Amino acid sequence: MSDAYDYFRAHAITAVRKARALPPGRGKQKQRTVARVYHLLSKEAALTPNVHHLDDFRAARRLERHISR
């Protein structure tokens, strides 16, 4: 396993936990989408170099910050 895989996986787990803590609604759906993105990034990072996924990761982080406001 690569470090990128572990890093993305940790973010996916954290995002899922945040989603579980939120009340039902739009914010919870968005947080679950963020978790899915992190999960997909972790799968891709396990197979290929992760340099190409940095923009996707940054977009997911921006969305996650927007949700928590």
Side-chain angles (χ1 to χ4, degrees):
M1 277 191 262
S2 69
D3 291 333
Y5 169 80
D6 296 330
Y7 187 71
F8 289 141
R9 184 77 174 157
H11 278 286
I13 292 169
T14 303
V16 167
R17 288 181 181 156
K18 282 183 185 178
R20 287 180 182 161
L22 291 173
R26 186 94 169 122
K28 185 171 189 159
Q29 290 174 348
K30 286 182 181 180
Q31 188 65 41
R32 290 188 71 213
T33 302
V34 168
R36 279 188 230 122
V37 169
Y38 286 139
H39 183 69
L40 290 172
L41 286 172
S42 71
K43 282 184 173 182
E44 289 182 11
L47 300 174
T48 61
N50 62 343
V51 175
H52 305 290
H53 308 298
L54 288 177
D55 292 333
D56 298 331
F57 175 71
R58 289 180 184 132
R61 291 290 288 176
R62 278 192 300 268
L63 178 60
E64 190 172 15
R65 279 189 227 115
H66 180 69
I67 292 169
S68 61
R69 287 183 195 174

